[in-house]
PDB file of all heavy atoms in Angstrom:
ATOM      1  N   TYR W 782      91.299 121.569  55.959  1.00  0.00           N
ATOM      2  CA  TYR W 782      90.243 122.627  55.849  1.00  0.00           C
ATOM      3  C   TYR W 782      89.219 122.257  54.734  1.00  0.00           C
ATOM      4  O   TYR W 782      89.495 121.409  53.856  1.00  0.00           O
ATOM      5  CB  TYR W 782      90.823 123.975  55.491  1.00  0.00           C
ATOM      6  CG  TYR W 782      91.649 124.576  56.627  1.00  0.00           C
ATOM      7  CD1 TYR W 782      92.955 124.662  56.529  1.00  0.00           C
ATOM      8  CD2 TYR W 782      91.017 125.138  57.722  1.00  0.00           C
ATOM      9  CE1 TYR W 782      93.789 125.157  57.627  1.00  0.00           C
ATOM     10  CE2 TYR W 782      91.783 125.739  58.785  1.00  0.00           C
ATOM     11  CZ  TYR W 782      93.044 125.719  58.714  1.00  0.00           C
ATOM     12  OH  TYR W 782      93.782 126.236  59.761  1.00  0.00           O
ATOM     13  N   ALA W 783      88.047 122.840  54.948  1.00  0.00           N
ATOM     14  CA  ALA W 783      86.929 122.567  53.964  1.00  0.00           C
ATOM     15  C   ALA W 783      87.278 122.998  52.543  1.00  0.00           C
ATOM     16  O   ALA W 783      87.999 123.921  52.347  1.00  0.00           O
ATOM     17  CB  ALA W 783      85.689 123.305  54.411  1.00  0.00           C
ATOM     18  N   GLY W 784      86.842 122.182  51.581  1.00  0.00           N
ATOM     19  CA  GLY W 784      87.015 122.576  50.192  1.00  0.00           C
ATOM     20  C   GLY W 784      88.427 122.437  49.534  1.00  0.00           C
ATOM     21  O   GLY W 784      88.586 122.834  48.409  1.00  0.00           O
ATOM     22  N   VAL W 785      89.340 121.788  50.215  1.00  0.00           N
ATOM     23  CA  VAL W 785      90.710 121.724  49.688  1.00  0.00           C
ATOM     24  C   VAL W 785      90.859 120.783  48.491  1.00  0.00           C
ATOM     25  O   VAL W 785      91.801 120.906  47.809  1.00  0.00           O
ATOM     26  CB  VAL W 785      91.723 121.448  50.737  1.00  0.00           C
ATOM     27  CG1 VAL W 785      91.851 122.601  51.813  1.00  0.00           C
ATOM     28  CG2 VAL W 785      91.441 120.152  51.472  1.00  0.00           C
ATOM     29  N   LYS W 786      89.825 119.867  48.374  1.00  0.00           N
ATOM     30  CA  LYS W 786      89.940 118.962  47.172  1.00  0.00           C
ATOM     31  C   LYS W 786      89.545 119.727  45.948  1.00  0.00           C
ATOM     32  O   LYS W 786      89.903 119.285  44.787  1.00  0.00           O
ATOM     33  CB  LYS W 786      88.867 117.807  47.390  1.00  0.00           C
ATOM     34  CG  LYS W 786      89.438 116.621  48.142  1.00  0.00           C
ATOM     35  CD  LYS W 786      88.481 115.493  48.000  1.00  0.00           C
ATOM     36  CE  LYS W 786      89.001 114.230  48.690  1.00  0.00           C
ATOM     37  NZ  LYS W 786      88.027 113.082  48.446  1.00  0.00           N
ATOM     38  N   ASP W 787      88.651 120.654  46.055  1.00  0.00           N
ATOM     39  CA  ASP W 787      88.004 121.356  44.813  1.00  0.00           C
ATOM     40  C   ASP W 787      89.053 121.764  43.816  1.00  0.00           C
ATOM     41  O   ASP W 787      88.926 121.474  42.618  1.00  0.00           O
ATOM     42  CB  ASP W 787      87.148 122.517  45.238  1.00  0.00           C
ATOM     43  CG  ASP W 787      86.007 122.009  46.087  1.00  0.00           C
ATOM     44  OD1 ASP W 787      85.756 120.760  46.186  1.00  0.00           O
ATOM     45  OD2 ASP W 787      85.328 122.860  46.766  1.00  0.00           O
ATOM     46  N   PRO W 788      90.089 122.632  44.159  1.00  0.00           N
ATOM     47  CA  PRO W 788      91.019 123.129  43.112  1.00  0.00           C
ATOM     48  C   PRO W 788      91.798 122.059  42.440  1.00  0.00           C
ATOM     49  O   PRO W 788      92.386 122.263  41.391  1.00  0.00           O
ATOM     50  CB  PRO W 788      91.901 124.042  43.867  1.00  0.00           C
ATOM     51  CG  PRO W 788      91.901 123.698  45.299  1.00  0.00           C
ATOM     52  CD  PRO W 788      90.475 123.077  45.481  1.00  0.00           C
ATOM     53  N   GLY W 789      91.871 120.842  43.041  1.00  0.00           N
ATOM     54  CA  GLY W 789      92.695 119.732  42.413  1.00  0.00           C
ATOM     55  C   GLY W 789      91.789 118.635  41.815  1.00  0.00           C
ATOM     56  O   GLY W 789      92.281 117.569  41.492  1.00  0.00           O
ATOM     57  N   THR W 790      90.457 119.007  41.663  1.00  0.00           N
ATOM     58  CA  THR W 790      89.544 117.953  41.062  1.00  0.00           C
ATOM     59  C   THR W 790      89.167 118.402  39.628  1.00  0.00           C
ATOM     60  O   THR W 790      88.698 119.463  39.315  1.00  0.00           O
ATOM     61  CB  THR W 790      88.277 117.930  41.828  1.00  0.00           C
ATOM     62  OG1 THR W 790      88.628 117.474  43.214  1.00  0.00           O
ATOM     63  CG2 THR W 790      87.302 116.935  41.272  1.00  0.00           C
ATOM     64  N   TYR W 791      89.473 117.492  38.629  1.00  0.00           N
ATOM     65  CA  TYR W 791      89.177 117.780  37.219  1.00  0.00           C
ATOM     66  C   TYR W 791      88.341 116.680  36.649  1.00  0.00           C
ATOM     67  O   TYR W 791      88.567 115.460  36.782  1.00  0.00           O
ATOM     68  CB  TYR W 791      90.534 117.866  36.427  1.00  0.00           C
ATOM     69  CG  TYR W 791      91.473 118.878  36.909  1.00  0.00           C
ATOM     70  CD1 TYR W 791      92.361 118.721  38.036  1.00  0.00           C
ATOM     71  CD2 TYR W 791      91.444 120.174  36.344  1.00  0.00           C
ATOM     72  CE1 TYR W 791      93.146 119.697  38.501  1.00  0.00           C
ATOM     73  CE2 TYR W 791      92.172 121.250  36.848  1.00  0.00           C
ATOM     74  CZ  TYR W 791      93.092 120.954  37.866  1.00  0.00           C
ATOM     75  OH  TYR W 791      93.948 122.022  38.316  1.00  0.00           O
ATOM     76  N   ASN W 792      87.236 117.120  36.051  1.00  0.00           N
ATOM     77  CA  ASN W 792      86.216 116.173  35.493  1.00  0.00           C
ATOM     78  C   ASN W 792      85.863 115.133  36.554  1.00  0.00           C
ATOM     79  O   ASN W 792      85.744 113.933  36.236  1.00  0.00           O
ATOM     80  CB  ASN W 792      86.801 115.454  34.231  1.00  0.00           C
ATOM     81  CG  ASN W 792      86.933 116.499  33.093  1.00  0.00           C
ATOM     82  OD1 ASN W 792      86.385 117.617  33.138  1.00  0.00           O
ATOM     83  ND2 ASN W 792      87.676 116.179  32.096  1.00  0.00           N
ATOM     84  N   GLY W 793      85.697 115.569  37.742  1.00  0.00           N
ATOM     85  CA  GLY W 793      85.287 114.636  38.801  1.00  0.00           C
ATOM     86  C   GLY W 793      86.375 113.789  39.445  1.00  0.00           C
ATOM     87  O   GLY W 793      86.029 113.080  40.376  1.00  0.00           O
ATOM     88  N   LYS W 794      87.584 114.004  39.007  1.00  0.00           N
ATOM     89  CA  LYS W 794      88.657 113.186  39.598  1.00  0.00           C
ATOM     90  C   LYS W 794      89.610 114.050  40.422  1.00  0.00           C
ATOM     91  O   LYS W 794      90.205 115.054  39.974  1.00  0.00           O
ATOM     92  CB  LYS W 794      89.558 112.517  38.459  1.00  0.00           C
ATOM     93  CG  LYS W 794      88.725 111.479  37.611  1.00  0.00           C
ATOM     94  CD  LYS W 794      89.645 110.911  36.619  1.00  0.00           C
ATOM     95  CE  LYS W 794      88.856 109.835  35.781  1.00  0.00           C
ATOM     96  NZ  LYS W 794      89.718 109.188  34.773  1.00  0.00           N
ATOM     97  N   PHE W 795      89.831 113.690  41.672  1.00  0.00           N
ATOM     98  CA  PHE W 795      90.715 114.344  42.601  1.00  0.00           C
ATOM     99  C   PHE W 795      92.171 113.891  42.387  1.00  0.00           C
ATOM    100  O   PHE W 795      92.530 112.782  42.788  1.00  0.00           O
ATOM    101  CB  PHE W 795      90.310 114.070  44.044  1.00  0.00           C
ATOM    102  CG  PHE W 795      91.255 114.651  45.044  1.00  0.00           C
ATOM    103  CD1 PHE W 795      91.766 115.923  44.977  1.00  0.00           C
ATOM    104  CD2 PHE W 795      91.570 113.839  46.194  1.00  0.00           C
ATOM    105  CE1 PHE W 795      92.699 116.395  45.883  1.00  0.00           C
ATOM    106  CE2 PHE W 795      92.397 114.347  47.171  1.00  0.00           C
ATOM    107  CZ  PHE W 795      93.036 115.599  47.053  1.00  0.00           C
ATOM    108  N   VAL W 796      92.880 114.599  41.515  1.00  0.00           N
ATOM    109  CA  VAL W 796      94.216 114.149  41.193  1.00  0.00           C
ATOM    110  C   VAL W 796      95.374 115.072  41.626  1.00  0.00           C
ATOM    111  O   VAL W 796      96.556 114.709  41.433  1.00  0.00           O
ATOM    112  CB  VAL W 796      94.342 114.030  39.601  1.00  0.00           C
ATOM    113  CG1 VAL W 796      93.400 112.917  39.186  1.00  0.00           C
ATOM    114  CG2 VAL W 796      94.058 115.375  38.926  1.00  0.00           C
ATOM    115  N   ALA W 797      95.041 116.261  42.126  1.00  0.00           N
ATOM    116  CA  ALA W 797      96.097 117.202  42.542  1.00  0.00           C
ATOM    117  C   ALA W 797      95.921 117.585  44.023  1.00  0.00           C
ATOM    118  O   ALA W 797      94.796 118.213  44.302  1.00  0.00           O
ATOM    119  CB  ALA W 797      96.134 118.353  41.639  1.00  0.00           C
ATOM    120  N   LEU W 798      96.751 117.355  44.831  1.00  0.00           N
ATOM    121  CA  LEU W 798      96.661 117.713  46.266  1.00  0.00           C
ATOM    122  C   LEU W 798      97.338 119.094  46.507  1.00  0.00           C
ATOM    123  O   LEU W 798      98.572 119.170  46.425  1.00  0.00           O
ATOM    124  CB  LEU W 798      97.277 116.645  47.195  1.00  0.00           C
ATOM    125  CG  LEU W 798      96.986 116.731  48.672  1.00  0.00           C
ATOM    126  CD1 LEU W 798      96.993 115.353  49.321  1.00  0.00           C
ATOM    127  CD2 LEU W 798      98.007 117.731  49.395  1.00  0.00           C
ATOM    128  N   ASN W 799      96.594 120.144  46.618  1.00  0.00           N
ATOM    129  CA  ASN W 799      97.191 121.477  46.861  1.00  0.00           C
ATOM    130  C   ASN W 799      97.425 121.654  48.286  1.00  0.00           C
ATOM    131  O   ASN W 799      96.587 121.460  49.182  1.00  0.00           O
ATOM    132  CB  ASN W 799      96.025 122.512  46.390  1.00  0.00           C
ATOM    133  CG  ASN W 799      96.049 122.563  44.865  1.00  0.00           C
ATOM    134  OD1 ASN W 799      96.658 123.364  44.141  1.00  0.00           O
ATOM    135  ND2 ASN W 799      95.192 121.690  44.281  1.00  0.00           N
ATOM    136  N   TYR W 800      98.698 121.969  48.657  1.00  0.00           N
ATOM    137  CA  TYR W 800      99.185 121.881  50.020  1.00  0.00           C
ATOM    138  C   TYR W 800      99.162 123.133  50.800  1.00  0.00           C
ATOM    139  O   TYR W 800      99.011 123.074  52.013  1.00  0.00           O
ATOM    140  CB  TYR W 800     100.678 121.399  49.904  1.00  0.00           C
ATOM    141  CG  TYR W 800     101.276 121.023  51.180  1.00  0.00           C
ATOM    142  CD1 TYR W 800     100.797 120.030  52.060  1.00  0.00           C
ATOM    143  CD2 TYR W 800     102.444 121.712  51.640  1.00  0.00           C
ATOM    144  CE1 TYR W 800     101.417 119.781  53.260  1.00  0.00           C
ATOM    145  CE2 TYR W 800     103.041 121.449  52.867  1.00  0.00           C
ATOM    146  CZ  TYR W 800     102.557 120.354  53.644  1.00  0.00           C
ATOM    147  OH  TYR W 800     103.093 120.077  54.825  1.00  0.00           O
ATOM    148  N   VAL W 801      99.300 124.229  50.147  1.00  0.00           N
ATOM    149  CA  VAL W 801      99.445 125.576  50.899  1.00  0.00           C
ATOM    150  C   VAL W 801      98.080 126.334  50.894  1.00  0.00           C
ATOM    151  O   VAL W 801      97.517 126.418  49.812  1.00  0.00           O
ATOM    152  CB  VAL W 801     100.594 126.356  50.375  1.00  0.00           C
ATOM    153  CG1 VAL W 801     100.817 127.650  51.103  1.00  0.00           C
ATOM    154  CG2 VAL W 801     101.840 125.601  50.248  1.00  0.00           C
ATOM    155  N   MET W 802      97.723 126.808  51.986  1.00  0.00           N
ATOM    156  CA  MET W 802      96.459 127.600  51.963  1.00  0.00           C
ATOM    157  C   MET W 802      96.839 129.149  51.832  1.00  0.00           C
ATOM    158  O   MET W 802      97.651 129.723  52.564  1.00  0.00           O
ATOM    159  CB  MET W 802      95.763 127.538  53.418  1.00  0.00           C
ATOM    160  CG  MET W 802      94.972 126.221  53.432  1.00  0.00           C
ATOM    161  SD  MET W 802      93.631 126.002  52.318  1.00  0.00           S
ATOM    162  CE  MET W 802      92.377 127.172  53.012  1.00  0.00           C
ATOM    163  N   THR W 803      96.285 129.782  50.796  1.00  0.00           N
ATOM    164  CA  THR W 803      96.398 131.158  50.633  1.00  0.00           C
ATOM    165  C   THR W 803      95.171 131.823  51.151  1.00  0.00           C
ATOM    166  O   THR W 803      94.043 131.565  50.678  1.00  0.00           O
ATOM    167  CB  THR W 803      96.656 131.565  49.149  1.00  0.00           C
ATOM    168  OG1 THR W 803      97.837 130.969  48.694  1.00  0.00           O
ATOM    169  CG2 THR W 803      96.729 133.126  48.983  1.00  0.00           C
ATOM    170  N   VAL W 804      95.295 132.697  52.117  1.00  0.00           N
ATOM    171  CA  VAL W 804      94.124 133.407  52.774  1.00  0.00           C
ATOM    172  C   VAL W 804      94.102 134.794  52.344  1.00  0.00           C
ATOM    173  O   VAL W 804      95.080 135.557  52.374  1.00  0.00           O
ATOM    174  CB  VAL W 804      94.222 133.266  54.332  1.00  0.00           C
ATOM    175  CG1 VAL W 804      93.067 133.983  54.963  1.00  0.00           C
ATOM    176  CG2 VAL W 804      94.416 131.872  54.765  1.00  0.00           C
ATOM    177  N   TYR W 805      92.939 135.220  51.850  1.00  0.00           N
ATOM    178  CA  TYR W 805      92.791 136.653  51.339  1.00  0.00           C
ATOM    179  C   TYR W 805      92.005 137.415  52.370  1.00  0.00           C
ATOM    180  O   TYR W 805      91.151 136.825  53.121  1.00  0.00           O
ATOM    181  CB  TYR W 805      92.036 136.654  50.086  1.00  0.00           C
ATOM    182  CG  TYR W 805      92.762 136.031  48.890  1.00  0.00           C
ATOM    183  CD1 TYR W 805      92.702 134.587  48.741  1.00  0.00           C
ATOM    184  CD2 TYR W 805      93.546 136.685  47.999  1.00  0.00           C
ATOM    185  CE1 TYR W 805      93.308 133.978  47.660  1.00  0.00           C
ATOM    186  CE2 TYR W 805      94.225 136.050  46.935  1.00  0.00           C
ATOM    187  CZ  TYR W 805      94.125 134.743  46.832  1.00  0.00           C
ATOM    188  OH  TYR W 805      94.822 134.104  45.766  1.00  0.00           O
ATOM    189  N   GLY W 806      92.269 138.662  52.486  1.00  0.00           N
ATOM    190  CA  GLY W 806      91.635 139.467  53.467  1.00  0.00           C
ATOM    191  C   GLY W 806      91.972 140.945  53.497  1.00  0.00           C
ATOM    192  O   GLY W 806      92.550 141.362  52.377  1.00  0.00           O
ATOM    193  N   VAL W 807      91.720 141.669  54.402  1.00  0.00           N
ATOM    194  CA  VAL W 807      92.077 143.112  54.573  1.00  0.00           C
ATOM    195  C   VAL W 807      93.005 143.226  55.745  1.00  0.00           C
ATOM    196  O   VAL W 807      92.734 142.639  56.824  1.00  0.00           O
ATOM    197  CB  VAL W 807      90.825 143.936  54.810  1.00  0.00           C
ATOM    198  CG1 VAL W 807      91.160 145.417  55.010  1.00  0.00           C
ATOM    199  CG2 VAL W 807      89.824 143.831  53.652  1.00  0.00           C
ATOM    200  N   TRP W 808      94.157 143.832  55.484  1.00  0.00           N
ATOM    201  CA  TRP W 808      95.243 143.878  56.473  1.00  0.00           C
ATOM    202  C   TRP W 808      95.390 145.268  57.058  1.00  0.00           C
ATOM    203  O   TRP W 808      95.263 146.289  56.415  1.00  0.00           O
ATOM    204  CB  TRP W 808      96.531 143.388  55.764  1.00  0.00           C
ATOM    205  CG  TRP W 808      96.308 142.039  55.181  1.00  0.00           C
ATOM    206  CD1 TRP W 808      95.689 141.704  54.001  1.00  0.00           C
ATOM    207  CD2 TRP W 808      96.681 140.815  55.764  1.00  0.00           C
ATOM    208  NE1 TRP W 808      95.670 140.396  53.819  1.00  0.00           N
ATOM    209  CE2 TRP W 808      96.250 139.693  54.895  1.00  0.00           C
ATOM    210  CE3 TRP W 808      97.311 140.398  56.936  1.00  0.00           C
ATOM    211  CZ2 TRP W 808      96.468 138.374  55.158  1.00  0.00           C
ATOM    212  CZ3 TRP W 808      97.486 139.109  57.259  1.00  0.00           C
ATOM    213  CH2 TRP W 808      97.138 138.089  56.364  1.00  0.00           C
ATOM    214  N   TYR W 809      95.863 145.248  58.284  1.00  0.00           N
ATOM    215  CA  TYR W 809      96.073 146.446  59.020  1.00  0.00           C
ATOM    216  C   TYR W 809      97.147 146.321  60.180  1.00  0.00           C
ATOM    217  O   TYR W 809      97.524 145.120  60.416  1.00  0.00           O
ATOM    218  CB  TYR W 809      94.765 147.009  59.683  1.00  0.00           C
ATOM    219  CG  TYR W 809      94.261 146.171  60.840  1.00  0.00           C
ATOM    220  CD1 TYR W 809      94.484 146.526  62.134  1.00  0.00           C
ATOM    221  CD2 TYR W 809      93.623 144.896  60.647  1.00  0.00           C
ATOM    222  CE1 TYR W 809      94.016 145.764  63.206  1.00  0.00           C
ATOM    223  CE2 TYR W 809      93.092 144.186  61.634  1.00  0.00           C
ATOM    224  CZ  TYR W 809      93.355 144.574  62.978  1.00  0.00           C
ATOM    225  OH  TYR W 809      92.839 143.821  63.989  1.00  0.00           O
TER     226      TYR W 809
END
Side-chain angles (χ1 to χ4, degrees):
Y782 290 109
V785 295
K786 273 189 174 184
D787 296 344
T790 300
Y791 298 87
N792 294 344
K794 293 182 178 181
F795 173 44
V796 296
L798 192 153
N799 287 267
Y800 186 62
V801 185
M802 283 297 284
T803 298
V804 183
Y805 297 83
V807 178
W808 302 80
Y809 69 100

